[in-house]
Amino acid sequence: MKTKILITIFLVMSFNAWAEERYAEKVKWLSLKEGMERAKVEKKPMLVDFAVAKGCPRCEFLQKNVYSKDEIARKINSDFVPIFIDLSKKLLPEEKALGEKYDFKNDCLLLFLDYNGKVIKEPDTGQMCFADKIEPDVFIRYLDSVKNRMFKK
């Protein structure tokens, strides 16, 4: 009986690890250097997420409820160059410089940049997108809005 319980627990834990790993593969995150190079070549906007993989409610919400949605992951991968900057690790000088440019104070921040590295601001407020907790339906509309603003310049 104990063996069956242990096997069941092991299988559940293995499935959870597999699901988390599978999620991580939906959005094809790049480093800042790779992403900036690709954005210039492909003339695509960049989605830059300064985040931590575990322990931050904002980051975990985005990972589990936004980036894991097939429609959103497809849109990010096809229309944007996704860049992940891991705040739990020592930042490279160019990562730190980008964060400081937008006064991130080593905190989570979501930026949308054009392929030249300039922030794509909201037309009415001039603000950038600082993600706290964005519901998937709002986020996908925001992705469309950012893409449209970039190409209307």
Side-chain angles (χ1 to χ4, degrees):
M1 181 70 170
K2 285 185 182 179
T3 304
K4 286 183 181 180
I5 292 172
L6 289 174
I7 290 172
T8 302
I9 291 171
F10 174 76
L11 289 174
V12 169
M13 289 174 66
S14 295
F15 177 77
N16 287 343
W18 171 82
E20 195 170 302
E21 215 175 276
R22 183 174 177 268
Y23 149 74
E25 295 173 5
K26 284 191 177 187
V27 175
K28 306 297 183 200
W29 297 105
L30 300 173
S31 69
L32 180 60
K33 183 178 179 187
E34 286 176 302
M36 292 189 93
E37 289 171 2
R38 182 176 287 176
K40 282 186 181 187
V41 169
E42 296 179 8
K43 304 284 190 233
K44 287 184 178 179
M46 295 174 273
L47 180 156
V48 182
D49 196 355
F50 285 85
V52 292
K54 295 200 186 274
C56 168
R58 170 260 191 211
C59 301
E60 288 179 359
F61 180 85
L62 282 173
Q63 289 172 356
K64 292 178 183 167
N65 300 297
V66 179
Y67 298 146
S68 65
K69 302 287 184 209
D70 290 334
E71 181 183 7
I72 291 174
R74 264 192 308 276
K75 186 172 284 293
I76 290 171
N77 289 327
S78 67
D79 297 345
F80 293 83
V81 175
I83 298 169
F84 184 81
I85 299 175
D86 190 347
L87 292 173
S88 66
K89 298 178 180 175
K90 184 174 184 202
L91 298 182
L92 297 173
E94 59 271 16
E95 294 170 335
K96 187 173 175 125
L98 179 64
E100 287 175 349
K101 183 176 180 178
Y102 299 105
D103 198 29
F104 81 127
K105 297 181 175 93
N106 292 315
D107 202 0
C108 301
L109 171 66
L110 185 65
L111 293 173
F112 289 90
L113 306 174
D114 67 17
Y115 55 83
N116 291 314
K118 294 180 182 164
V119 73
I120 301 170
K121 295 182 180 181
E122 292 184 42
D124 298 334
T125 64
Q127 294 179 343
M128 301 171 289
C129 178
F130 291 88
D132 182 22
K133 185 176 178 182
I134 299 176
E135 294 299 325
D137 58 327
V138 173
F139 191 78
I140 202 156
R141 286 193 308 267
Y142 195 82
L143 290 175
D144 290 335
S145 171
V146 168
K147 185 178 173 193
N148 290 336
R149 282 190 306 244
M150 185 179 145
F151 292 110
K152 284 184 182 178
K153 286 184 176 182

